[in-house]
Amino acid sequence: MSKLIDRFLVRATVGEVDPLTPRMRRIRLVSGRLRDLPWTPGQHVRVHVGDFKLRTYSVWDRADDHLDLCVL
C-alpha cells in the first residue's frame, strides 16, 4: 500500500520555519524528489498534516530541493 501512496505523494521534511509577520510563517519543505516535479508560479499544493488533515497552500518559491509555503 505504501508504494501506491508514494506514486501520488511526495514526502518532505520541514527544513526551516521563519516568521514573516506576527501571524504568517514561511515554511520550507525539503525533499530530493521535488526536482522532478513540474512547477508553475502561483500553483497550489495539498499538504497532508497529521493523520487526517489535508491543507491547500500556494507555493511562494521553489528550488530543486525545496518548496517554500507561506502559512497564516
Side-chain angles (χ1 to χ4, degrees):
M1 180 71 170
S2 65
K3 289 184 181 187
L4 178 60
I5 289 174
D6 289 339
R7 292 180 61 192
F8 297 102
L9 302 177
V10 174
R11 294 186 186 272
T13 302
V14 174
E16 297 176 25
V17 178
D18 293 318
L20 299 176
T21 70
R23 295 182 58 206
M24 185 173 287
R25 306 286 180 262
R26 179 188 58 83
I27 299 176
R28 176 164 287 175
L29 301 177
V30 179
S31 173
R33 289 188 57 201
L34 292 172
R35 73 177 44 96
D36 299 329
L37 299 177
W39 178 76
T40 304
Q43 181 174 334
H44 292 107
V45 295
R46 306 280 321 254
V47 178
H48 186 242
V49 180
D51 290 334
F52 301 104
K53 295 181 184 177
L54 192 60
R55 305 282 187 184
T56 302
Y57 297 106
S58 295
V59 176
W60 180 260
D61 193 15
R62 180 183 181 278
D64 283 342
D65 64 344
H66 72 266
L67 183 75
D68 289 343
L69 306 176
C70 287
V71 178
L72 183 64

